[in-house]
Amino acid sequence: MDNTREPAGHLSAIIAIGLLLIGLVVFGVVQQKASSHQAELTKGFEACMESAPFKQALKVPRPEAVLTNEQLQANFDAFDQMLKETGLPPIWNGKTLVPWKEFHKSSIEFASQCHGQLGIDQPQRQLKGTYAKPVWDPNSSIWRQTD
C-alpha cells in the first residue's frame, strides 16, 4: 500500500507544477499583450501631441534676439518674480513670459483631445514613460487645484 500512495503523491505534485507553469505562461502572454497595447497607445499619443499648437511656440525667436537690453532686464526681473511666486520657471512664448502652469495648461487641454481620439480614459495606467505622469493627466490633482 505504501507503494501506491507514493506515485499518487508524485503525480499530484507533477500536475500541480504543470498547472503552475501553464499559469505562468498564460500570465506572461497576457502581460506581454497589455504592454504591447500600452506601447501602441503611447506611440499614438506622441504622434498626436506633435501636432499641438504649443509646439510652435517653442520655435519662436529667443528673447535676446527681439528685445532691447532694457526689455531683457525687465524680463529677467519678471522671470525671478514668477519663479519666486510659483516655484516654477515661466516660459517665453515669443512675446512675453508666461507662468509655467498657464502655458502647460494649453498642452493639457490638447492632450485631453488626443486622449479622446485614442480612447484613453486613464492615461497614468494606459500610457508609458513620461506621458504616464500625473502632469499629463487632465484629471490629476495637479490640474484640479489650479482651476
Side-chain angles (χ1 to χ4, degrees), residues 2 4 10-12 22 46 56 75 92 115 120 127 136:
D2 288 337
T4 58
H10 287 303
L11 183 59
S12 296
I22 290 171
E46 287 172 341
Q56 300 307 313
N75 276 294
W92 175 254
H115 291 158
I120 297 169
L127 297 175
W136 283 103

Side-chain angles (χ1 to χ4, degrees), residues 33-83:
K33 284 186 179 183
S35 180
S36 177
H37 180 67
Q38 190 180 37
E40 286 177 30
L41 279 177
T42 301
K43 188 175 180 179
F45 181 72
E46 287 172 341
C48 182
M49 290 301 287
E50 283 301 313
S51 64
F54 70 90
K55 287 281 198 172
Q56 300 307 313
L58 301 176
K59 297 177 183 174
V60 296
R62 298 177 55 100
E64 59 271 18
V66 294
L67 299 177
T68 66
N69 288 342
E70 294 79 23
Q71 291 171 321
L72 276 174
Q73 186 58 53
N75 276 294
F76 286 134
D77 295 340
F79 182 98
D80 288 340
Q81 184 62 33
M82 284 186 215
L83 182 60

